[in-house]
Amino acid sequence: MQTAANFVQDKILDPVEVPVQSAYKNRGDHLTMKALAWYGTDDVRIIDAPVPDITQDDDVIVQVTGTTICGSDLHLYHGEIVTLKQGDILGHEFMGVVEKVGPSVTNLKPGQRVVASFQVACGKCRYCQQKISSMCENTNNSSLQNAMYGTRDAGFFGYSHFTGGFPGGQAEYVRVPYGNVNLLPIPDKLADEQVIYLSDVIPTSYHCVVDTGVKEGDTVAVWGLGPIGQCVVRWAFLKGASRVIAIDRVPSRLSLAQKAGAEPLDFSDSSTSDVVATLHKLVPGGVDVALDCGTFHEPKGLLHKAQKAMMLETDVPETINEAIMSVRKMGRVGIISAYAGYANGVNVGALMEKGVRLIGNGQAPVHLYWEEILNDYIIPGKFDPTFMITHRVDLNEFPELYAAFDKRIDGVEKVFVQTRFSGSPMPGCPKLSRVEDWGKSKA
């Protein structure tokens, strides 16, 4: 699939011309860094890669002090996102210290602590002017995405050539194009663990709740209790939801959501396996808002398992259909899950006849929210992101981490991945561990 997709994009369609180049210039001193690279399905490796240098005038080079793994990285791990190439450096959530700035960067200086947005935005196009950074028109050269969607998202760090081919943040150094807009300065009084997830998870979850219009008194159902879903549960309550029902099958995730005040619904339990019927029993007439924070690559039913295995569909619509069926008439369904292609059997009839507002939230515009979240929620202590950090590992363990994260070993949620430039763990946050030891103390 990757070979065919790359051939179509590179040889038949030709990349779209954009003013930023994704490849970086190497330093003349031949310095290398540790980085995680993709080499095939379920095959990621730590490599020695050249340290990036200033390549265009508005670049910033960041020395990474914290990075992580995201549920959407598993789509890359399993080869489900097209136009991956061997040696691509992965990772789209990271923070660090400014090491070098290009001559056009005037708002940052070496030594400043910064968080990077997962998207690369130009700061100048009509979307960037509204801070809708995920829809930037000038940073993604993917002709294949243009052909599939009619338009293109912004470029993303470390997420294949379908999103521009920018080397990612699961590395010791990252070149950040348009660094003047894609990096957020961080107050020294905050630890890395408190702010690193402003890169993606926190704005993404906030966007899901805000964009779908959760309001005072709403009853909300949330599918998928990974880090995004866990944050969505908490944002929904902060925005006034009177009741949140959290749907998953992993006991540790259900428990974590329950601690935040949500009502857990375990779809692996035979008494609640019919999610739609269970929700209508709990909320006669249906919930006000349904939020899809799950995954498209794990079909539940035999029909979609077969279709996916035969490549008759790329994505699975089961959660979308459950959400459409579970909301009240004229209810709202928000999709923040990272669907990427095509799904068969979407219940269009119920969507239309019930008057359901189906909202594709899109990739979250980090620039629209990150200052608000930092100043109004994190600094005052209204939202503490460290609740979701379950483990801390070294960058060299990334290959083992991908495998463990995929299997949800040891109740893993969010992992702080340190580099040789990281400081000590924040008090109250996990200390350094080895992936191979996870779960042994509980055995």
Side-chain angles (χ1 to χ4, degrees), residues 212 290 320 323-324 331-335 346 351 355-361:
T212 314
I320 294 174
I324 291 170
R332 284 153 283 153
V333 175
I335 304 174
V346 177
L351 175 69
V356 173
R357 273 47 183 165
L358 180 62
I359 301 164
N361 300 127

Side-chain angles (χ1 to χ4, degrees), residues 205 208-209 214 220-241 243-247 253-254 256-263 291 293 383 387:
S205 55
C208 176
V209 170
V214 173
V220 179
V222 179
W223 277 257
L225 299 177
I228 296 290
Q230 296 290 345
C231 290
V232 161
V233 166
R234 288 153 176 81
W235 288 126
F237 279 126
L238 282 168
K239 291 299 180 181
R243 192 177 178 190
V244 176
I245 301 167
I247 305 160
R253 293 182 168 187
L254 290 161
L256 190 57
Q258 190 172 22
K259 287 178 182 177
E263 301 167 42
L291 302 174
C293 307
F383 189 95
F387 82 90

Side-chain angles (χ1 to χ4, degrees), residues 62-324:
V62 172
Q63 190 180 75
V64 176
T65 59
T67 182
T68 189
I69 185 172
C70 177
S72 59
D73 288 328
L74 294 178
H75 305 322
L76 303 174
Y77 184 59
H78 294 305
E80 294 175 312
I81 301 297
V82 293
T83 67
L84 282 159
K85 297 180 181 180
Q86 287 193 350
D88 283 348
I89 297 175
L90 305 183
H92 58 274
E93 295 179 275
F94 63 97
M95 68 171 296
V97 175
V98 173
E99 194 220 15
K100 296 177 75 173
V101 299
S104 296
V105 178
T106 58
N107 61 335
L108 296 170
K109 59 185 180 181
Q112 271 189 288
R113 294 172 66 226
V114 289
V115 170
S117 65
F118 74 86
Q119 57 238 202
V120 179
C122 72
K124 300 171 184 176
C125 71
R126 56 178 173 161
Y127 291 101
C128 286
Q129 288 296 302
Q130 302 173 70
K131 293 191 179 296
I132 307 176
S133 47
S134 53
M135 302 298 175
C136 176
E137 297 186 302
N138 291 325
T139 55
N140 184 1
N141 67 352
S142 174
S143 53
L144 184 58
Q145 186 175 131
N146 209 65
M148 288 176 64
Y149 300 166
T151 57
R152 305 180 310 284
D153 290 342
F156 301 158
F157 287 105
Y159 212 74
S160 88
H161 298 263
F162 195 63
T163 62
F166 293 91
Q170 291 171 353
E172 293 180 321
Y173 292 89
V174 182
R175 169 201 170 224
V176 178
Y178 301 117
N180 53 320
V181 295
N182 292 310
L183 294 168
L184 178 70
I186 296 301
D188 287 336
K189 63 182 178 181
L190 296 176
D192 282 10
E193 290 93 334
Q194 293 175 285
V195 293
I196 182 174
Y197 303 115
L198 283 167
S199 193
D200 177 5
V201 174
I202 304 174
T204 294
S205 55
Y206 189 73
H207 175 61
C208 176
V209 170
V210 172
D211 191 52
T212 314
V214 173
K215 62 183 187 297
E216 195 79 29
D218 277 345
T219 295
V220 179
V222 179
W223 277 257
L225 299 177
I228 296 290
Q230 296 290 345
C231 290
V232 161
V233 166
R234 288 153 176 81
W235 288 126
F237 279 126
L238 282 168
K239 291 299 180 181
S242 61
R243 192 177 178 190
V244 176
I245 301 167
I247 305 160
D248 207 296
R249 65 179 177 186
V250 180
S252 61
R253 293 182 168 187
L254 290 161
S255 176
L256 190 57
Q258 190 172 22
K259 287 178 182 177
E263 301 167 42
L265 194 167
D266 182 353
F267 67 80
S268 68
D269 187 321
S270 59
S271 65
T272 52
S273 59
D274 187 332
V275 173
V276 175
T278 302
L279 285 172
H280 277 283
K281 184 177 179 180
L282 292 170
V283 188
V287 299
D288 299 300
V289 181
L291 302 174
D292 180 359
C293 307
T295 175
F296 67 77
H297 78 266
E298 293 182 349
K300 292 195 290 186
L302 289 175
L303 177 62
H304 289 287
K305 287 180 180 179
Q307 290 184 80
K308 203 157 189 306
M310 293 186 288
M311 299 187 72
L312 297 176
E313 64 180 0
T314 59
D315 301 0
V316 178
E318 290 164 309
T319 298
I320 294 174
N321 285 341
E322 287 180 354
I324 291 170

Side-chain angles (χ1 to χ4, degrees), residues 23-43:
Y24 61 72
K25 184 169 66 176
N26 303 340
R27 296 193 182 180
D29 49 19
H30 304 294
L31 283 176
T32 62
M33 64 177 182
K34 298 294 183 183
L36 185 86
W38 184 89
Y39 277 87
T41 300
D42 299 347
D43 182 4

Side-chain angles (χ1 to χ4, degrees), residues 416-438:
F416 186 93
V417 179
Q418 69 177 35
T419 73
R420 60 192 168 105
F421 306 117
S422 301
S424 301
M426 174 185 171
C429 286
K431 295 181 179 180
L432 185 67
S433 63
R434 292 186 62 84
V435 175
E436 67 180 10
D437 295 329
W438 288 6

